[in-house]
C-alpha cells in the first residue's frame, strides 16, 4: 500500500468534475486500499478520489469511533433527502480550517461498492454530512465554497500563513 498526496485548496485540480467508474479491476482495488491508508493516516473520516488527483466517482469513508467500518462509495446518487443539520466541517484539503455548513439531515444514496455491486445507503447525522461533503468533491466543490466571501478570504489568509510557517 502507499500513501497518496492530498491536493490542497485552492489547487485548481480540486475543481475537476469526476467521471463514473465502469471497470472494477485490480488497479481500482489498489487505489481504494491506498486511499483508505491515506485517509486513516491523515487522520480523516472521508476522502474523495478528487483529493488525490484521481477524477473518478470514488469515495472512501469511515465515521466509526474505532475506525473499523470502512465504506466505499462509487458513482453515488442521492435519491432522497430530508431535513437540515448544521455541522462544523473540516477537510483534509483545507487543513486546520473548520466551519459550519448546512446539509440535509437524512439522505438515501444509491451507489456501487468496491466490486461494482449496487448498494443503497440510508444515512443520518455525521455519515450523512460526510457523504454530502465527499460528493461535493466529486462535483469539484470544496466546503469553503459555502462560506461568505469575507470568511473565505480569512480562510485563505490563514492557509497562506500556515504554509509560510511550514516553509
Ligand atoms: Ni473534504
Amino acid at each position: 500500500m502507499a500513501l497518496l498526496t492530498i491536493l490542497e485548496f485552492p489547487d485548481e485540480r480540486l475543481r475537476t468534475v469526476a467521471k463514473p467508474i465502469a471497470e472494477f479491476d485490480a488497479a481500482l482495488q489498489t487505489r481504494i486500499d491506498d486511499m483508505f491508508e491515506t485517509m486513516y493516516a491523515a487522520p480523516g473520516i472521508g476522502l474523495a478520489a478528487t483529493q488525490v488527483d484521481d477524477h473518478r466517482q470514488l469515495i472512501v469513508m469511515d465515521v466509526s469511533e474505532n475506525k473499523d467500518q470502512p465504506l466505499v462509495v462509487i458513482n453515488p446518487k442521492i435519491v432522497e433527502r430530508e431535513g437540515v443539520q448544521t455541522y462544523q466541517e473540516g477537510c483534509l484539503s483545507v487543513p486546520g480550517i473548520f466551519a459550519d455548513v448546512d446539509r440535509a439531515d437524512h439522505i438515501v444514496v444509491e451507489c456501487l461498492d468496491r466490486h461494482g455491486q449496487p448498494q443503497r445507503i440510508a444515512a443520518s447525522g455525521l455519515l450523512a454530512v460526510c457523504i454530502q461533503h465527499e460528493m461535493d468533491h466529486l462535483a469539484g466543490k470544496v466546503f469553503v465554497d459555502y462560506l461568505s466571501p469575507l470568511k473565505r478570504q480569512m480562510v485563505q489568509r490563514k492557509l497562506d500563513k500556515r504554509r509560510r510557517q511550514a516553509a
Side-chain angles (χ1 to χ4, degrees):
M1 291 207 281
L3 286 179
L4 305 167
T5 303
I6 299 175
L7 301 178
E8 291 190 3
F9 178 83
D11 194 308
E12 276 304 310
R13 290 170 289 181
L14 289 169
R15 299 304 177 183
T16 314
V17 176
K19 295 197 165 65
I21 292 180
E23 225 181 312
F24 295 81
D25 54 7
L28 178 68
Q29 304 309 315
T30 303
R31 172 46 51 110
I32 290 169
D33 291 339
D34 289 346
M35 281 176 61
F36 270 120
E37 192 184 8
T38 303
M39 180 193 81
Y40 284 127
I45 59 170
L47 185 68
T50 311
Q51 293 175 273
V52 292
D53 203 22
D54 181 336
H55 302 289
R56 294 180 288 176
Q57 293 178 12
L58 164 63
I59 295 165
V60 300
M61 278 176 280
D62 189 341
V63 299
S64 70
E65 208 153 303
N66 297 323
K67 302 294 158 214
D68 56 1
Q69 287 169 47
L71 179 64
V72 177
V73 167
I74 291 174
N75 301 353
K77 281 193 178 59
I78 295 178
V79 294
E80 276 175 45
R81 57 174 82 229
E82 212 182 282
V84 180
Q85 61 173 322
T86 307
Y87 191 87
Q88 193 179 55
E89 297 187 16
C91 178
L92 295 177
S93 293
V94 196
I97 306 292
F98 300 90
D100 283 349
V101 180
D102 291 342
R103 305 272 189 191
D105 187 33
H106 177 81
I107 56 171
V108 176
V109 179
E110 286 178 355
C111 58
L112 303 176
D113 70 7
R114 65 185 296 160
H115 304 294
Q117 297 304 308
Q119 58 181 352
R120 191 178 165 91
I121 301 167
S124 308
L126 179 57
L127 181 60
V129 168
C130 191
I131 293 173
Q132 291 171 86
H133 176 117
E134 302 309 332
M135 282 183 69
D136 270 356
H137 279 302
L138 301 183
K141 277 194 246 168
V142 182
F143 83 103
V144 292
D145 297 350
Y146 295 108
L147 306 181
S148 68
L150 187 68
K151 265 197 175 151
R152 210 159 42 239
Q153 252 175 34
M154 282 167 53
V155 164
Q156 190 57 62
R157 273 202 294 273
K158 229 168 148 178
L159 286 171
D160 289 344
K161 194 173 159 200
R162 272 175 68 109
R163 278 177 200 138
R164 274 199 307 276
Q165 284 168 346

